[in-house]
Each structure stands twice: as C-alpha cells, then as structure tokens.
Short mmCIF file of all heavy atoms in Angstrom, two decimals:
data_model
loop_
_atom_site.label_atom_id
_atom_site.label_comp_id
_atom_site.label_asym_id
_atom_site.label_seq_id
_atom_site.Cartn_x
_atom_site.Cartn_y
_atom_site.Cartn_z
N ARG A 398 2.71 36.41 9.28
CA ARG A 398 3.42 35.24 9.82
C ARG A 398 2.35 34.15 10.08
O ARG A 398 2.59 33.00 9.74
CB ARG A 398 4.15 35.62 11.14
CG ARG A 398 4.87 34.42 11.75
CD ARG A 398 5.53 34.78 13.06
NE ARG A 398 4.49 35.04 14.12
CZ ARG A 398 3.92 34.09 14.77
NH1 ARG A 398 4.13 32.81 14.50
NH2 ARG A 398 3.04 34.45 15.74
N LEU A 399 1.26 34.48 10.75
CA LEU A 399 0.22 33.48 11.06
C LEU A 399 -0.32 32.85 9.75
O LEU A 399 -0.59 31.67 9.66
CB LEU A 399 -0.88 34.04 11.88
CG LEU A 399 -0.48 34.43 13.36
CD1 LEU A 399 -1.64 35.15 14.00
CD2 LEU A 399 -0.10 33.15 14.08
N ALA A 400 -0.51 33.66 8.73
CA ALA A 400 -1.01 33.20 7.46
C ALA A 400 -0.04 32.23 6.79
O ALA A 400 -0.50 31.18 6.23
CB ALA A 400 -1.33 34.40 6.47
N LEU A 401 1.25 32.60 6.82
CA LEU A 401 2.22 31.67 6.30
C LEU A 401 2.26 30.32 7.02
O LEU A 401 2.40 29.29 6.48
CB LEU A 401 3.63 32.35 6.35
CG LEU A 401 4.00 33.32 5.22
CD1 LEU A 401 5.35 33.92 5.51
CD2 LEU A 401 3.97 32.67 3.87
N GLU A 402 2.17 30.39 8.36
CA GLU A 402 2.15 29.19 9.15
C GLU A 402 0.93 28.33 8.82
O GLU A 402 1.02 27.10 8.83
CB GLU A 402 2.28 29.53 10.65
CG GLU A 402 3.63 30.09 11.06
CD GLU A 402 3.63 30.58 12.49
OE1 GLU A 402 2.57 30.66 13.10
OE2 GLU A 402 4.77 30.83 13.01
N THR A 403 -0.22 28.99 8.67
CA THR A 403 -1.42 28.25 8.32
C THR A 403 -1.25 27.60 6.99
O THR A 403 -1.60 26.41 6.81
CB THR A 403 -2.63 29.24 8.27
OG1 THR A 403 -2.88 29.75 9.58
CG2 THR A 403 -3.91 28.44 7.82
N ALA A 404 -0.74 28.29 6.02
CA ALA A 404 -0.54 27.75 4.69
C ALA A 404 0.45 26.59 4.76
O ALA A 404 0.19 25.49 4.16
CB ALA A 404 0.05 28.83 3.73
N ALA A 405 1.53 26.74 5.48
CA ALA A 405 2.51 25.73 5.59
C ALA A 405 1.97 24.45 6.22
O ALA A 405 2.26 23.34 5.76
CB ALA A 405 3.72 26.13 6.37
N GLU A 406 1.20 24.60 7.23
CA GLU A 406 0.57 23.43 7.89
C GLU A 406 -0.32 22.65 6.94
O GLU A 406 -0.29 21.41 6.88
CB GLU A 406 -0.23 23.91 9.10
CG GLU A 406 -0.87 22.81 9.92
CD GLU A 406 -1.58 23.27 11.08
OE1 GLU A 406 -1.46 24.51 11.44
OE2 GLU A 406 -2.39 22.48 11.70
N ARG A 407 -1.13 23.41 6.13
CA ARG A 407 -2.01 22.69 5.25
C ARG A 407 -1.26 22.04 4.08
O ARG A 407 -1.59 20.94 3.63
CB ARG A 407 -3.07 23.69 4.69
CG ARG A 407 -4.03 24.17 5.79
CD ARG A 407 -5.15 24.98 5.16
NE ARG A 407 -5.87 24.21 4.19
CZ ARG A 407 -6.84 23.32 4.43
NH1 ARG A 407 -7.22 23.14 5.66
NH2 ARG A 407 -7.43 22.70 3.44
N ILE A 408 -0.25 22.76 3.51
CA ILE A 408 0.61 22.13 2.44
C ILE A 408 1.31 20.93 2.94
O ILE A 408 1.35 19.93 2.17
CB ILE A 408 1.56 23.25 1.95
CG1 ILE A 408 0.77 24.44 1.28
CG2 ILE A 408 2.53 22.63 0.91
CD1 ILE A 408 1.60 25.63 1.08
N ARG A 409 1.83 21.01 4.13
CA ARG A 409 2.53 19.82 4.66
C ARG A 409 1.66 18.65 4.81
O ARG A 409 2.01 17.49 4.47
CB ARG A 409 3.22 20.20 5.95
CG ARG A 409 4.17 19.16 6.50
CD ARG A 409 4.92 19.62 7.77
NE ARG A 409 5.88 20.67 7.44
CZ ARG A 409 5.68 21.97 7.72
NH1 ARG A 409 4.66 22.34 8.37
NH2 ARG A 409 6.61 22.83 7.39
N ALA A 410 0.44 18.89 5.41
CA ALA A 410 -0.51 17.77 5.64
C ALA A 410 -0.90 17.14 4.35
O ALA A 410 -1.05 15.88 4.24
CB ALA A 410 -1.73 18.30 6.39
N TYR A 411 -1.14 17.92 3.28
CA TYR A 411 -1.53 17.38 1.98
C TYR A 411 -0.40 16.51 1.42
O TYR A 411 -0.67 15.38 0.90
CB TYR A 411 -1.87 18.49 1.03
CG TYR A 411 -2.36 18.03 -0.26
CD1 TYR A 411 -3.68 17.80 -0.56
CD2 TYR A 411 -1.41 17.86 -1.34
CE1 TYR A 411 -4.12 17.37 -1.79
CE2 TYR A 411 -1.85 17.43 -2.59
CZ TYR A 411 -3.22 17.17 -2.82
OH TYR A 411 -3.61 16.75 -4.04
N HIS A 412 0.80 17.02 1.48
CA HIS A 412 1.92 16.37 0.83
C HIS A 412 2.39 15.13 1.57
O HIS A 412 2.94 14.16 1.04
CB HIS A 412 3.07 17.33 0.55
CG HIS A 412 2.74 18.30 -0.54
ND1 HIS A 412 2.03 19.43 -0.38
CD2 HIS A 412 3.10 18.25 -1.86
CE1 HIS A 412 1.88 20.05 -1.51
NE2 HIS A 412 2.57 19.41 -2.45
N VAL A 413 2.18 15.04 2.91
CA VAL A 413 2.45 13.84 3.59
C VAL A 413 1.69 12.70 3.02
O VAL A 413 2.20 11.49 2.99
CB VAL A 413 2.19 14.03 5.13
CG1 VAL A 413 2.09 12.72 5.86
CG2 VAL A 413 3.24 14.88 5.79
N ARG A 414 0.45 12.94 2.67
CA ARG A 414 -0.38 11.87 2.12
C ARG A 414 0.08 11.39 0.70
O ARG A 414 -0.36 10.28 0.25
CB ARG A 414 -1.87 12.33 1.98
CG ARG A 414 -2.61 12.48 3.31
CD ARG A 414 -3.93 13.01 3.14
NE ARG A 414 -4.70 13.08 4.37
CZ ARG A 414 -5.44 12.09 4.84
NH1 ARG A 414 -5.62 10.90 4.14
NH2 ARG A 414 -6.11 12.15 6.01
N GLN A 415 0.95 12.12 0.05
CA GLN A 415 1.41 11.73 -1.23
C GLN A 415 2.59 10.72 -1.15
O GLN A 415 2.97 10.12 -2.13
CB GLN A 415 1.96 12.94 -2.01
CG GLN A 415 0.87 13.86 -2.48
CD GLN A 415 1.49 15.10 -3.31
OE1 GLN A 415 2.63 15.42 -3.11
NE2 GLN A 415 0.67 15.62 -4.15
N MET A 416 3.17 10.59 0.04
CA MET A 416 4.36 9.67 0.19
C MET A 416 4.02 8.29 -0.25
O MET A 416 3.04 7.64 0.28
CB MET A 416 4.85 9.72 1.61
CG MET A 416 5.64 11.01 1.96
SD MET A 416 7.16 11.14 1.01
CE MET A 416 8.15 9.88 1.81
N PRO A 417 4.73 7.74 -1.20
CA PRO A 417 4.51 6.34 -1.70
C PRO A 417 5.09 5.33 -0.68
O PRO A 417 5.96 5.69 0.12
CB PRO A 417 5.17 6.30 -3.01
CG PRO A 417 6.39 7.25 -2.85
CD PRO A 417 5.86 8.41 -1.95
N GLU A 418 4.63 4.09 -0.79
CA GLU A 418 5.16 3.05 0.04
C GLU A 418 6.17 2.17 -0.74
O GLU A 418 5.97 1.93 -1.87
CB GLU A 418 3.98 2.23 0.59
CG GLU A 418 3.06 2.99 1.50
CD GLU A 418 1.93 2.08 2.05
OE1 GLU A 418 1.89 0.89 1.66
OE2 GLU A 418 1.20 2.60 2.91
N ASN A 419 7.11 1.65 0.04
CA ASN A 419 8.01 0.67 -0.55
C ASN A 419 7.20 -0.67 -0.67
O ASN A 419 6.18 -0.86 0.02
CB ASN A 419 9.23 0.43 0.36
CG ASN A 419 10.08 1.64 0.50
OD1 ASN A 419 10.07 2.50 -0.39
ND2 ASN A 419 10.78 1.80 1.65
N ALA A 420 7.67 -1.57 -1.53
CA ALA A 420 6.94 -2.85 -1.75
C ALA A 420 7.98 -3.93 -1.94
O ALA A 420 9.06 -3.70 -2.52
CB ALA A 420 6.03 -2.73 -2.88
N LEU A 421 7.65 -5.14 -1.50
CA LEU A 421 8.49 -6.30 -1.67
C LEU A 421 7.63 -7.51 -1.66
O LEU A 421 6.82 -7.65 -0.71
CB LEU A 421 9.58 -6.33 -0.57
CG LEU A 421 10.80 -7.27 -0.77
CD1 LEU A 421 11.60 -6.68 -1.96
CD2 LEU A 421 11.65 -7.41 0.45
N TRP A 422 7.81 -8.37 -2.64
CA TRP A 422 6.92 -9.63 -2.64
C TRP A 422 7.66 -10.70 -3.39
O TRP A 422 8.67 -10.47 -4.08
CB TRP A 422 5.60 -9.32 -3.39
CG TRP A 422 5.70 -9.07 -4.82
CD1 TRP A 422 5.62 -9.96 -5.83
CD2 TRP A 422 6.00 -7.83 -5.46
NE1 TRP A 422 5.83 -9.36 -7.02
CE2 TRP A 422 5.98 -8.05 -6.84
CE3 TRP A 422 6.15 -6.46 -4.96
CZ2 TRP A 422 6.27 -7.02 -7.75
CZ3 TRP A 422 6.37 -5.50 -5.89
CH2 TRP A 422 6.46 -5.74 -7.24
N THR A 423 7.24 -11.92 -3.25
CA THR A 423 7.75 -13.10 -3.92
C THR A 423 6.69 -13.61 -4.90
O THR A 423 5.57 -13.90 -4.51
CB THR A 423 8.19 -14.24 -2.92
OG1 THR A 423 9.07 -13.69 -2.00
CG2 THR A 423 8.71 -15.42 -3.65
N ASP A 424 7.12 -13.73 -6.16
CA ASP A 424 6.19 -14.14 -7.18
C ASP A 424 6.05 -15.63 -7.27
O ASP A 424 6.85 -16.40 -6.54
CB ASP A 424 6.54 -13.50 -8.51
CG ASP A 424 7.75 -14.07 -9.20
OD1 ASP A 424 8.29 -15.13 -8.76
OD2 ASP A 424 8.27 -13.44 -10.12
N PRO A 425 5.21 -16.18 -8.07
CA PRO A 425 4.95 -17.66 -8.11
C PRO A 425 6.19 -18.46 -8.58
O PRO A 425 6.33 -19.60 -8.26
CB PRO A 425 3.84 -17.79 -9.14
CG PRO A 425 3.07 -16.53 -9.08
CD PRO A 425 4.13 -15.45 -8.84
N ASP A 426 7.17 -17.80 -9.27
CA ASP A 426 8.37 -18.54 -9.72
C ASP A 426 9.43 -18.52 -8.60
O ASP A 426 10.49 -19.11 -8.81
CB ASP A 426 8.90 -17.91 -10.96
CG ASP A 426 8.03 -18.18 -12.12
OD1 ASP A 426 7.63 -19.32 -12.36
OD2 ASP A 426 7.81 -17.20 -12.94
N GLY A 427 9.25 -17.74 -7.49
CA GLY A 427 10.19 -17.76 -6.41
C GLY A 427 11.12 -16.58 -6.47
O GLY A 427 12.08 -16.53 -5.67
N ALA A 428 10.87 -15.63 -7.35
CA ALA A 428 11.64 -14.40 -7.43
C ALA A 428 11.13 -13.34 -6.44
O ALA A 428 9.92 -13.17 -6.34
CB ALA A 428 11.67 -13.81 -8.84
N THR A 429 12.07 -12.72 -5.74
CA THR A 429 11.65 -11.66 -4.82
C THR A 429 11.83 -10.33 -5.60
O THR A 429 12.93 -10.03 -6.06
CB THR A 429 12.52 -11.66 -3.59
OG1 THR A 429 12.33 -12.84 -2.85
CG2 THR A 429 12.14 -10.51 -2.65
N LEU A 430 10.76 -9.55 -5.67
CA LEU A 430 10.77 -8.37 -6.43
C LEU A 430 10.17 -7.17 -5.63
O LEU A 430 9.42 -7.36 -4.70
CB LEU A 430 9.89 -8.49 -7.72
CG LEU A 430 10.26 -9.68 -8.61
CD1 LEU A 430 9.22 -9.87 -9.68
CD2 LEU A 430 11.64 -9.49 -9.26
N GLY A 431 10.47 -5.96 -6.02
CA GLY A 431 9.91 -4.81 -5.37
C GLY A 431 10.53 -3.53 -5.78
O GLY A 431 11.16 -3.41 -6.84
N TRP A 432 10.29 -2.53 -4.96
CA TRP A 432 10.90 -1.26 -5.16
C TRP A 432 11.05 -0.48 -3.85
O TRP A 432 10.39 -0.84 -2.84
CB TRP A 432 10.09 -0.39 -6.15
CG TRP A 432 8.63 -0.19 -5.77
CD1 TRP A 432 8.15 0.61 -4.69
CD2 TRP A 432 7.47 -0.80 -6.34
NE1 TRP A 432 6.78 0.54 -4.65
CE2 TRP A 432 6.37 -0.36 -5.63
CE3 TRP A 432 7.32 -1.67 -7.40
CZ2 TRP A 432 5.10 -0.72 -5.94
CZ3 TRP A 432 6.01 -2.04 -7.73
CH2 TRP A 432 4.91 -1.61 -7.00
N ARG A 433 11.93 0.49 -3.87
CA ARG A 433 12.20 1.23 -2.72
C ARG A 433 12.32 2.73 -3.07
O ARG A 433 12.96 3.07 -4.11
CB ARG A 433 13.51 0.80 -2.04
CG ARG A 433 13.94 1.51 -0.74
CD ARG A 433 15.29 1.00 -0.27
NE ARG A 433 15.15 -0.42 0.05
CZ ARG A 433 16.20 -1.32 -0.03
NH1 ARG A 433 17.37 -0.84 -0.49
NH2 ARG A 433 16.01 -2.57 0.25
N TRP A 434 11.74 3.57 -2.34
CA TRP A 434 11.80 5.06 -2.57
C TRP A 434 12.79 5.71 -1.63
O TRP A 434 12.83 5.50 -0.45
CB TRP A 434 10.43 5.69 -2.31
CG TRP A 434 9.33 5.23 -3.26
CD1 TRP A 434 8.55 4.15 -3.05
CD2 TRP A 434 8.98 5.77 -4.55
NE1 TRP A 434 7.68 4.04 -4.15
CE2 TRP A 434 7.91 5.01 -5.01
CE3 TRP A 434 9.51 6.91 -5.21
CZ2 TRP A 434 7.35 5.28 -6.22
CZ3 TRP A 434 8.87 7.15 -6.47
CH2 TRP A 434 7.83 6.39 -6.93
N THR A 435 13.68 6.56 -2.23
CA THR A 435 14.61 7.31 -1.43
C THR A 435 14.72 8.76 -1.91
O THR A 435 14.55 8.98 -3.15
CB THR A 435 16.03 6.68 -1.57
OG1 THR A 435 16.43 6.59 -2.96
CG2 THR A 435 16.08 5.28 -0.90
N PRO A 436 14.92 9.68 -1.06
CA PRO A 436 14.98 11.11 -1.50
C PRO A 436 16.26 11.44 -2.19
O PRO A 436 17.33 10.79 -1.98
CB PRO A 436 14.83 11.92 -0.17
CG PRO A 436 15.42 10.94 0.80
CD PRO A 436 15.06 9.53 0.38
N VAL A 437 16.23 12.53 -2.95
CA VAL A 437 17.46 13.11 -3.53
C VAL A 437 18.17 13.67 -2.28
O VAL A 437 17.57 14.02 -1.29
CB VAL A 437 17.23 14.22 -4.56
CG1 VAL A 437 16.41 13.65 -5.71
CG2 VAL A 437 16.44 15.38 -3.96
N ALA A 438 19.46 13.67 -2.37
CA ALA A 438 20.25 14.12 -1.19
C ALA A 438 20.21 15.62 -0.99
O ALA A 438 20.21 16.12 0.13
CB ALA A 438 21.75 13.68 -1.33
N ALA A 439 20.20 16.39 -2.08
CA ALA A 439 20.17 17.88 -1.96
C ALA A 439 19.35 18.43 -3.08
O ALA A 439 19.35 17.99 -4.29
CB ALA A 439 21.64 18.36 -2.08
N ALA A 440 18.63 19.47 -2.74
CA ALA A 440 17.76 20.18 -3.69
C ALA A 440 17.93 21.68 -3.57
O ALA A 440 18.14 22.19 -2.48
CB ALA A 440 16.25 19.79 -3.51
N GLY A 441 17.86 22.36 -4.70
CA GLY A 441 17.96 23.81 -4.77
C GLY A 441 16.69 24.40 -5.30
O GLY A 441 16.20 23.89 -6.33
N LEU A 442 16.19 25.44 -4.66
CA LEU A 442 14.98 26.11 -5.10
C LEU A 442 15.29 27.47 -5.57
O LEU A 442 15.91 28.26 -4.89
CB LEU A 442 13.98 26.15 -3.91
CG LEU A 442 13.76 24.92 -3.12
CD1 LEU A 442 12.80 25.17 -2.02
CD2 LEU A 442 13.35 23.73 -3.97
#
C-alpha cells in the first residue's frame, strides 16, 4: 500500500507539470486569438 501511494504521489507530481496553459492575445490587425484546454468528460481504462 505504501509503495503504491509513493508511486501515485510521484506520478501525480510529474503530470501536474504537464498541464498546458490557456492563451489569449490580440494581434496587430486587431483580431483576438487563442486557445482553451478542456478535459474529456468521461474516460474508460
């Protein structure tokens, strides 16, 4: 149990750093552009 918890903690910490950031900016022509990240609603393993 302790080994699984140790593994889970390390796996979680690594993957938190992978989370991408949303972005939004206005270009020189005056267009507002960007992207947004959203999760899938349901996953099956």
